[in-house]
């Protein structure tokens, strides 16, 4: 077969020269690079999920509930704030949730805005639907000032604004006054991506702001706090009319019967599933303190990871850690690296390796 790259095919012009999303995947003993929950799903929950999926298999010859009603009801109960199933949407991971939003409210000739550095999938999702991506700026410590944020949004006049709360890859919490200022500054859709919300302490969710703001959306995932990354389940809360718009772009029966069953079962055990959050937050804070003791500049984090600066050669440090069987993330910010909070044992191995590698 002749050598061929996708650039040789009649691919869209606006996709030429772009790179796909990709975090390194390698069989290492300590993987702390993609912000997974490093604690396995508890055995008691596994048993219930397996039973639920087995029961769903009995009817898998039929299409699943297209409206995934039971799952939406479960998410509404979990989120609270007076929400019901009509306020909820779900898909195969929060990335697909965001993609549905892009398909419905962005597209060719439209603009998507976010404050950089932020989640690297945002520009890819925007460009994937033919939209222009506009990157705003943050402060020196990656914070966002409400007045400055509103001014940037008014100037950009975006159709969709993506706010990562807390922000990935920096961990920066997002105060509600920033969300309110941005919402008031645009006629477009404002999405608050709360993938790491359960790890925030005292930051506050944007869910209370939904009332009276029909263009505001709060996106969540089961991948992080629920330790369900491999199950691929994301969801959002919004005005029912907004949810209706997403039905125009979703694929038929986009959530399989097995996915729905596994997610509904996990939600029945929400309290058990979230028991690891306190442990992860403790390890996050322990890593932050340990890195600070080694002389690194550590940024405040409301997520399950830590961004730190003062690394003379991030690529060299990344490689040296990988040689020791520890995988973290070089996010492309000069002098910075990011590490996920692991188990006690994983966090210890990381901190010991950093102590050995730090001059």
């Amino acid at each position: 077969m002749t050598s061929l790259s996708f650039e040789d095919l009649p691919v869209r012009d606006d996709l030429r020269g772009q790179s796909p999303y990709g975090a390194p995947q390698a069989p290492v003993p300590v993987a702390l690079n993609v912000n997974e929950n490093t604690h396995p799903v508890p055995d008691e929950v596994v048993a219930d999920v397996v039973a639920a999926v087995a029961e769903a298999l009995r009817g898998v010859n039929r299409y699943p509930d297209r409206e995934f009603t039971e799952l939406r009801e479960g998410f509404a109960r979990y989120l609270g704030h007076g929400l019901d199933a009509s306020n909820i949407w779900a898909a195969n991971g929060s990335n697909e949730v965001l993609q549905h939003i892009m398909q419905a409210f962005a597209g060719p000739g439209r603009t998507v805005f976010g404050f950089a550095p932020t989640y690297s999938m945002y520009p890819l999702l925007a460009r994937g639907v033919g939209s222009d991506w506009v990157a705003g700026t943050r402060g020196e410590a990656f914070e966002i000032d409400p007045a400055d944020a509103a001014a940037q949004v008014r100037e950009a006049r975006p159709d969709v604004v993506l706010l990562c709360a807390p922000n990935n890859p920096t961990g920066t919490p997002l105060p509600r006054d920033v969300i309110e200022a941005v919402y008031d500054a645009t006629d477009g859709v404002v999405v608050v991506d709360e993938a790491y919300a359960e790890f925030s302490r005292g930051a506050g969710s944007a869910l209370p702001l939904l009332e009276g703001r029909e263009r505001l959306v709060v996106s969540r995932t089961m991948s992080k706090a629920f330790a369900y990354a491999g199950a691929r389940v994301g969801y959002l809360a919004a005005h029912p009319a907004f949810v209706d718009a997403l039905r125009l772009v979703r694929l038929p029966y986009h959530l399989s019967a097995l996915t729905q069953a596994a997610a509904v079962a996990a939600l029945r055990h929400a309290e058990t599933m979230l028991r690891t959050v306190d442990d992860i937050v403790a390890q996050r804070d322990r890593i932050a303190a340990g890195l600070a003791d080694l002389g690194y500049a550590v940024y405040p984090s409301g997520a399950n990871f830590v961004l730190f600066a003062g690394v003379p050669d991030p690529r060299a440090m990344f490689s040296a850690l990988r040689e020791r069987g520890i995988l973290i993330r070089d996010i492309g910010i000069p002098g910075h690296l990011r590490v996920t909070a692991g188990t006690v044992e994983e966090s210890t191995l990381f901190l010991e390796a950093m102590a050995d590698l730090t001059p």
Side-chain angles (χ1 to χ4, degrees):
M1 187 175 291
T2 59
S3 176
L4 182 74
S5 75
F6 79 84
E7 295 281 0
D8 300 313
L9 298 171
V11 68
R12 284 168 27 196
D13 290 341
D14 60 311
L15 294 181
R16 293 186 181 277
Q18 302 296 328
S19 299
Y21 174 85
Q25 288 185 307
V28 297
V30 182
L32 302 175
N33 66 319
V34 289
N35 304 336
E36 296 158 320
N37 186 324
T38 54
H39 298 67
V41 175
D43 290 343
E44 62 189 277
V45 182
V46 169
D48 195 16
V49 171
V50 169
V53 171
E55 182 63 28
L57 275 169
R58 298 180 185 277
V60 81
N61 58 306
R62 302 291 187 180
Y63 286 118
D65 175 11
R66 185 175 56 240
E67 293 302 314
F68 45 97
T69 305
E70 186 178 7
L71 179 57
R72 289 163 61 212
E73 290 171 347
F75 281 134
R77 284 192 298 271
Y78 171 69
L79 293 178
H81 294 282
L83 299 171
D84 61 33
S86 69
N87 298 110
I88 305 297
W89 187 251
N92 297 285
S94 59
N95 286 319
E96 187 177 61
V97 169
L98 296 175
Q99 184 180 56
H100 286 168
I101 296 172
M102 295 296 105
Q103 290 173 316
F105 295 96
R110 295 193 171 199
T111 300
V112 181
F113 180 96
F115 294 95
T118 192
Y119 183 34
S120 60
M121 270 303 298
Y122 292 164
L124 295 179
L125 288 166
R127 291 167 184 150
V129 297
S131 293
D132 292 327
W133 167 255
V134 176
T137 59
R138 294 171 175 265
E140 290 184 2
F142 304 117
E143 76 283 359
I144 302 176
D145 174 77
D148 180 59
Q152 291 188 55
V153 168
R154 278 193 294 267
E155 181 178 357
R157 301 179 65 186
D159 298 280
V160 178
V161 179
L162 297 173
L163 301 174
C164 200
N167 188 51
N168 180 15
T170 65
T172 315
L174 185 71
R176 287 180 185 166
D177 58 355
V178 174
I179 300 170
E180 293 172 306
V182 167
Y183 187 89
D184 291 341
T186 179
D187 292 328
V189 168
V190 177
V191 183
V192 183
D193 181 356
E194 294 189 344
Y196 301 93
E198 286 89 350
F199 301 104
S200 297
R201 289 293 187 263
S205 170
L207 289 170
L209 300 179
L210 287 174
E211 183 65 32
R213 295 179 174 89
E214 70 282 353
R215 294 177 288 104
L216 183 65
V217 186
V218 178
S219 172
R220 293 281 187 98
T221 182
M222 297 187 79
S223 293
K224 310 301 181 181
F226 272 83
Y228 241 39
R232 310 308 302 129
V233 184
Y235 57 106
L236 64 72
H239 191 281
F242 189 97
V243 172
D244 281 343
L246 302 182
R247 290 185 171 89
L248 300 174
V249 297
R250 59 101 174 265
L251 294 175
Y253 312 103
H254 71 288
L255 276 178
S256 77
L258 306 186
T259 297
Q260 293 183 43
V264 168
L267 280 170
R268 285 199 293 265
H269 299 272
E271 185 176 348
T272 299
M273 294 285 276
L274 295 176
R275 283 178 188 165
T276 62
V277 169
D278 288 340
D279 292 338
I280 293 168
V281 168
Q283 292 309 306
R284 177 197 71 195
D285 295 344
R286 176 189 171 211
I287 288 173
L291 290 170
D293 288 343
L294 292 172
Y296 294 98
V298 180
Y299 295 91
S301 176
N304 68 337
F305 57 83
V306 174
L307 178 72
F308 59 102
V311 185
D313 189 339
R315 183 170 296 182
M317 180 66 80
F318 171 88
S319 298
L321 288 167
R322 185 169 180 172
E323 289 176 5
R324 293 174 179 237
I326 301 170
L327 196 61
I328 65 170
R329 190 73 176 268
D330 180 356
I331 55 173
I333 302 177
H336 291 68
L337 287 169
R338 191 194 71 191
V339 58
T340 306
T343 62
V344 173
E345 295 77 15
E346 291 169 332
S347 300
T348 296
L349 289 170
F350 167 72
L351 288 171
E352 290 176 348
M354 288 299 295
D356 288 343
L357 295 169
T358 301

